[in-house]
Amino acid sequence: MSTYVALLRAVNLGSHGRLAMADLRALVVAAGHGDVATYLQSGNVIFTSEHDDPEALAADLGKRLADELGVDTPVMVRTGTEITGIAAHHPFQDRQSDHARLHVAFLATEPDADRAAQLSVPEGSPEELQLTGRQLYLHYPAGAGRSKTTAAYLEKRLGVAITARNWKTVTALADLAQQRS
């Protein structure tokens, strides 16, 4: 059995993508996975599975969400080992003690190398970013709320679907994944 973390994009944000976490847990159990738990109300689910292909798990969960619950949203899946590695170090952590200003954007796939090489924050924005594989580490020194470095901006530049979590959530998910390993 392997441990996985599934991250759903844009659920329970205002009236968009309403999804009860009990329904999400039930869906993951019905898909044949075990030791299922959710974290917060924003589409984070930790589970164990005999399957060994995170991309296939993401596709299956995304299809089930759409077909069974009417929620059509990208799903990004990381192994417990991956999420623990991601949480082990944020490249901007030494500059920021407020974890609400540190984020990780999880990409559905690795972006095209040319797009990745040209990625930058909007001109005049104070944010910093570092792309590492399918993760984009972000530092919002003035907070993310009014930043121009939005998910939509990043998706357009990279050409892949993303979902972001603040550092507190990332480290909590890593802790939960480690408990299942």
Side-chain angles (χ1 to χ4, degrees), residues 66-172:
D67 292 351
E68 297 172 28
L69 300 177
V71 177
D72 188 13
T73 191
V75 177
M76 287 56 151
V77 173
R78 299 297 188 266
T79 66
T81 302
E82 286 175 315
I83 202 81
T84 301
I86 293 162
H89 173 73
H90 193 294
F92 306 114
Q93 190 171 3
D94 60 339
R95 291 183 233 170
Q96 184 58 255
S97 61
D98 181 355
H99 289 178
R101 296 174 188 264
L102 298 173
H103 291 238
V104 178
F106 296 88
L107 286 63
T109 60
E110 277 197 47
D112 173 79
D114 290 336
R115 285 180 167 230
Q118 295 177 19
L119 181 63
S120 64
V121 299
E123 190 170 325
S125 294
E127 294 82 27
E128 298 175 280
L129 51 81
Q130 180 179 317
L131 180 64
T132 305
R134 295 181 302 147
Q135 283 68 240
L136 179 61
Y137 293 91
L138 298 152
H139 176 215
Y140 292 95
R146 293 192 172 141
S147 172
K148 293 179 184 176
T149 309
T150 63
Y153 172 86
L154 295 168
E155 282 185 331
K156 184 175 180 181
R157 298 299 180 277
L158 291 171
V160 300
I162 70 165
T163 188
R165 300 295 188 272
N166 69 33
W167 192 238
K168 181 179 177 183
T169 298
V170 172
T171 57

